[in-house]
Amino acid sequence: MENPRDMAEHTPRSERKRRDSFGMFDGYDSCSEDSSSSSSSEDSEDEVPSIPASLPIIKNNGQVYTYPDGKAGMATCEMCGMVGVRDAFYSKTKRFCSVSCSRSYSSNSKKASILARLQGKPPTKKAKVLQKQPLMAKLAAYAQYQANQQNQAKSKSVVPVEGFDWGQYICSNNLVGAPVSCFKHVPMGMCWGDIAEGVRVEVLNSDTNLSTKVYWVAGIVKLAGFKALLRYEGFDNDSSKDFWRNLCIPEIHPVGWCASSGKPLVPPKSIHHKYSNWKAFLVKRLTGAKTLPPDFATKVQENMQFPFKKLMRVEVVDKSHLCRTRVALVEQVIGGRLRLVYEESQDGNDDFWCHMYSPLIHSIGWSRSIGHRFKRSEVTKKIEGQMDAPSQLFLKVKDVDQSGEWFKDGMKLEAIDPLNLSAICVATVRKVLADGFLMIGIDGSEAADGSDWFCYHSASPSIFPVGFCEINNIELTPPRGYTKLPFKWFDYLRDMGSIAAPVKLFNKEVPNHGFRVGMKLEAVDLMEPRLVCVATVTRIVHRLLRIHFDGWEDEYDQWVDCESPDLYPVGWCQLTGYQLQPPATQTTREAPPNVSKQKKKTAQYKGQKKKRKIPVGRRPIGLVGPLRRRSFSGDDEQTPPHYLSHFSGSGRPPTSGVEHDRSLNSEASLQLKEEPPEMDEFTFSQGISDQESNGSGSYYIRQEP
């Protein structure tokens, strides 16, 4: 077969110019000054090359661009002109993209008639297919487009998660989103790799008058979680056509996808006049640039598969009695988050939301194995299809040795209050269980029957040694009714006749998590765990993050571990189909009377907290009976907060606009002190803290000699 370069030398200049006018319709074969047919390249190996760990680099190998591994080249079908990966072509010679093209090529009359129809004139004997390759590719691309349209019409339409616009929110306020690599539990969290600003992708070209779908290359200008601000190649410093896209949706492709799929590349109409030779422009811009791995979309699909299935049975904390667990059934799985319905629920409304890696759920039999309180189910008839969730699906806890020095009943410590996550409180070990688990009670506000004791593992990042808050300048919530203020641990331990839990028994690991103050993310409101909200990291104390819900007062902030499965990157809700709660505004919440911008602190317990209107179904926490201090909120609605997405099933949004009271009962409420305690000559601290940081280190407290 004659080489296209040799053909170009014998083709009149006007003919070459005419072919170039169709340039980008021919995939990457038209983007290079040097094109080569499949006959000029050697047969590649049948074995699929391994994918490199880092991002692929686009190369110019005398053809157009090789595939990212640098081995498998491109080929052009000698019948239809479609450009694709050579190994995917038909026959040993790789001259045709399919069996039909191979057979059709043998008929000269058929080739001539096709060309004649494209040219709008009767066929002649001089007509040659290879001379009109771009026109054939245009026809093939249009045929492919028509087929895609028909397939889309048959399939159910995709409805994206609507409402809050992360892109506008980030750009208008010049915000920064936490990178996906900070969230190991989310899809692509472990394989996000080197995706960063400057990476090139192929996306739909929305700046065109063509009726068919065409594509163009765009570069990442700004990255925020899963979402990227993209700019079409050729716009340079012009941001007028910039647009935000979620990199994990099916419409984002690595460079080379159009070539392998036979999709047309067309420059945006706004800049079409800037260059006369767009082929040379792309070669210059893209050679050596990074793009997504060729299997990126496949990895996204694989990461969107979750092991928990509907009707699996688990043990989960009883939201009305925190000291015990109950059996619940998985009702729904969205992005790894589970909607669990307690087995004894009559109408299916008694539910609880948590992530599949949450420390609140366990395999059937867990409670008995460690000595945890458990409410037996009175349901005797099982639903068809029920099964116990396999134990390997649950989060594994750290193995501990309880034979030596260990926690004992009555030891004092500091702990995040599970029912008031903005507070770190004075707490007591109430019971030592097996496998390193502890029952913890919040001093001064415990129920008489211990129904609000909470189970923490000894390695939990939510419990701290005595003195942690003082050393790290965090306000410690003293026991309710304790009058010796400001609170001093030394005095309290002496008054109570108690001892502090040894520092060495606590979790000392501080991972290099990557979070920074000011980063935006999507976070679960753990006081209403079915809601995922727009949030900000406002403080970092080693591995502990202070999460602020945008638009709400600081008193609703929550202390969360950096590896919490209830934190997600920007764009997670859109990817999974979970509804995102937007920031509250003045019209969606009540302005508290006589409250200045600076949160007023008082040493006295106020009783009930102020009310606020709850947008989009935010619900309060409340009391459940006279003996219970507080409980996790129970939902009156069973509707999961999500819409349709590319990967989720149907759903409807929760109701909104109802005023709720998120406050605690006056006798159950924990409030913060007026001022942090002043340092005196002797305090019962265990050592000196390093500065606040997010870097890896041995621990935040070191023992004094």
Side-chain angles (χ1 to χ4, degrees), residues 262-404:
K263 304 296 183 181
L265 277 172
V266 177
K269 64 178 182 180
S270 301
I271 57 171
H272 196 278
H273 63 280
K274 289 184 65 175
Y275 300 96
S276 59
N277 190 342
W278 282 99
K279 301 177 298 182
F281 169 81
L282 280 187
V283 170
K284 183 177 179 180
R285 283 292 183 91
L286 299 184
T287 299
K290 290 184 177 182
T291 186
L292 300 178
D295 65 341
F296 186 77
T298 303
K299 282 188 176 181
V300 172
Q301 290 285 353
E302 292 174 351
N303 277 255
M304 291 299 295
Q305 305 302 315
F306 305 101
F308 281 89
K309 306 300 179 186
K310 186 174 181 179
L311 297 182
M312 281 187 173
R313 299 172 76 241
V314 300
E315 288 185 11
V316 64
V317 65
D318 186 341
K319 64 184 181 183
S320 60
H321 291 78
L322 302 185
C323 64
R324 70 186 185 190
T325 57
R326 296 170 61 183
V327 173
L329 298 176
V330 176
E331 177 63 26
Q332 216 166 3
V333 183
I334 305 176
R337 291 190 61 78
L338 311 177
R339 176 175 176 255
L340 304 172
V341 176
Y342 291 111
E343 195 171 48
E344 295 176 303
S345 175
Q346 299 296 324
D347 55 5
N349 289 336
D350 191 8
D351 62 357
F352 185 79
W353 281 89
C354 66
H355 193 272
M356 63 182 184
Y357 294 145
S358 169
L360 302 178
I361 61 171
H362 311 277
S363 58
I364 298 295
W366 172 83
S367 297
R368 176 182 293 180
S369 68
I370 70 162
H372 194 282
R373 289 175 64 178
F374 175 75
K375 181 184 178 183
R376 291 186 178 276
S377 174
E378 297 178 0
V379 176
T380 56
K381 185 178 180 181
K382 291 187 177 181
I383 303 174
E384 185 179 353
Q386 282 186 15
M387 63 172 292
D388 294 349
S391 59
Q392 63 267 24
L393 300 186
F394 297 88
L395 182 69
K396 300 297 186 293
V397 295
K398 182 179 179 181
D399 292 332
V400 295
D401 181 12
Q402 299 183 213
S403 60

Side-chain angles (χ1 to χ4, degrees), residues 326-510:
R326 296 170 61 183
V327 173
L329 298 176
V330 176
E331 177 63 26
Q332 216 166 3
V333 183
I334 305 176
R337 291 190 61 78
L338 311 177
R339 176 175 176 255
L340 304 172
V341 176
Y342 291 111
E343 195 171 48
E344 295 176 303
S345 175
Q346 299 296 324
D347 55 5
N349 289 336
D350 191 8
D351 62 357
F352 185 79
W353 281 89
C354 66
H355 193 272
M356 63 182 184
Y357 294 145
S358 169
L360 302 178
I361 61 171
H362 311 277
S363 58
I364 298 295
W366 172 83
S367 297
R368 176 182 293 180
S369 68
I370 70 162
H372 194 282
R373 289 175 64 178
F374 175 75
K375 181 184 178 183
R376 291 186 178 276
S377 174
E378 297 178 0
V379 176
T380 56
K381 185 178 180 181
K382 291 187 177 181
I383 303 174
E384 185 179 353
Q386 282 186 15
M387 63 172 292
D388 294 349
S391 59
Q392 63 267 24
L393 300 186
F394 297 88
L395 182 69
K396 300 297 186 293
V397 295
K398 182 179 179 181
D399 292 332
V400 295
D401 181 12
Q402 299 183 213
S403 60
E405 186 177 9
W406 193 243
F407 291 95
K408 292 181 175 61
D409 294 359
M411 282 184 171
K412 299 295 182 180
L413 68 161
E414 298 175 3
I416 297 175
D417 185 347
L419 294 173
N420 183 17
L421 293 162
S422 66
I424 299 179
C425 306
V426 174
T428 303
V429 176
R430 291 303 179 188
K431 187 177 180 181
V432 178
L433 308 178
D435 296 341
F437 288 95
L438 310 169
M439 296 304 296
I440 304 295
I442 303 299
D443 284 19
S445 54
E446 298 177 61
D449 61 353
S451 61
D452 57 357
W453 293 354
F454 194 78
C455 185
Y456 277 126
H457 192 267
S458 59
S460 170
S462 297
I463 60 174
F464 316 96
V466 164
F468 172 81
C469 286
E470 184 176 10
I471 289 169
N472 290 286
N473 196 27
I474 298 174
E475 194 167 22
L476 176 67
T477 302
R480 182 169 63 90
Y482 188 70
T483 57
K484 292 185 178 180
L485 300 176
F487 177 85
K488 299 296 181 183
W489 263 115
F490 178 77
D491 294 338
Y492 183 71
L493 290 171
R494 182 183 57 193
D495 294 344
M496 296 294 106
S498 303
I499 62 172
V503 174
K504 65 180 182 180
L505 299 182
F506 293 85
N507 184 0
K508 300 176 179 61
E509 297 178 1
V510 182

Side-chain angles (χ1 to χ4, degrees), residues 418 421 524-529 531 549 558-560 564 566 632:
L421 293 162
V524 174
D525 180 355
L526 292 169
M527 303 314 299
E528 180 46 64
L531 300 179
F549 297 103
Q558 297 178 359
W559 286 108
V560 181
S564 168
D566 296 304
F632 283 119

Side-chain angles (χ1 to χ4, degrees), residues 15-239:
E15 182 66 16
R16 293 203 305 272
K17 183 177 180 181
R18 189 171 147 218
R19 285 210 307 275
D20 290 345
S21 66
F22 289 98
M24 299 302 103
F25 275 102
D26 197 17
Y28 281 123
D29 193 65
S30 308
C31 300
S32 174
E33 297 177 359
D34 295 78
S35 299
S36 64
S37 65
S38 58
S39 62
S40 62
S41 59
E42 298 177 0
D43 290 343
S44 59
E45 299 176 0
D46 294 335
E47 182 182 357
V48 179
S50 59
I51 298 165
S54 59
L55 291 182
I57 295 179
I58 306 164
K59 301 176 181 178
N60 180 6
N61 231 17
Q63 302 161 195
V64 188
Y65 307 108
T66 63
Y67 234 115
D69 59 1
K71 297 178 181 179
M74 310 303 290
T76 303
C77 179
E78 296 182 17
M79 176 60 200
C80 69
M82 184 171 291
V83 180
V85 180
R86 189 171 182 274
D87 282 350
F89 270 45
Y90 175 71
S91 79
K92 293 182 178 180
T93 59
K94 309 298 182 185
R95 296 173 59 192
F96 308 103
C97 66
S98 63
V99 178
S100 59
C101 282
S102 176
R103 293 175 179 173
S104 299
Y105 188 80
S106 61
S107 172
N108 289 331
S109 59
K110 186 172 183 178
K111 288 185 291 181
S113 64
I114 292 174
L115 183 60
R117 285 197 299 272
L118 289 172
Q119 294 176 328
K121 60 183 181 181
T124 63
K125 294 181 180 180
K126 295 181 180 180
K128 293 183 179 180
V129 175
L130 288 179
Q131 288 181 331
K132 303 298 175 184
Q133 235 178 58
L135 292 176
M136 295 304 302
K138 183 179 180 181
L139 180 62
Y142 181 76
Q144 182 66 37
Y145 167 79
Q146 293 284 66
N148 290 342
Q149 290 293 94
Q150 292 176 2
N151 292 336
Q152 290 177 6
K154 294 178 182 178
S155 62
K156 191 174 182 179
S157 60
V158 173
V159 181
V161 177
E162 300 176 355
F164 180 69
D165 186 352
W166 261 119
Q168 182 180 1
Y169 189 61
I170 289 174
C171 286
S172 60
N173 298 285
N174 195 27
L175 305 174
V176 177
V180 175
S181 56
C182 291
F183 310 86
K184 306 302 182 186
H185 57 282
V186 303
M188 304 300 292
M190 298 294 289
C191 51
W192 192 247
D194 300 327
I195 297 176
E197 296 177 6
V199 169
R200 307 304 209 282
V201 294
E202 292 179 350
V203 294
L204 278 172
N205 180 3
S206 59
D207 184 21
T208 180
N209 293 326
L210 297 175
S211 59
T212 60
K213 282 186 178 181
V214 293
Y215 299 81
W216 191 241
V217 177
I220 297 177
V221 177
K222 186 180 181 69
L223 199 59
F226 287 119
K227 299 185 76 70
L229 181 63
L230 300 176
R231 182 175 300 169
Y232 290 123
E233 282 296 329
F235 275 87
D236 300 327
N237 296 324
D238 182 3
S239 61

Side-chain angles (χ1 to χ4, degrees), residues 230-249:
L230 300 176
R231 182 175 300 169
Y232 290 123
E233 282 296 329
F235 275 87
D236 300 327
N237 296 324
D238 182 3
S239 61
S240 61
K241 296 292 182 178
D242 289 2
F243 55 98
W244 285 89
R245 288 290 184 274
N246 193 311
L247 291 180
C248 291
I249 63 174

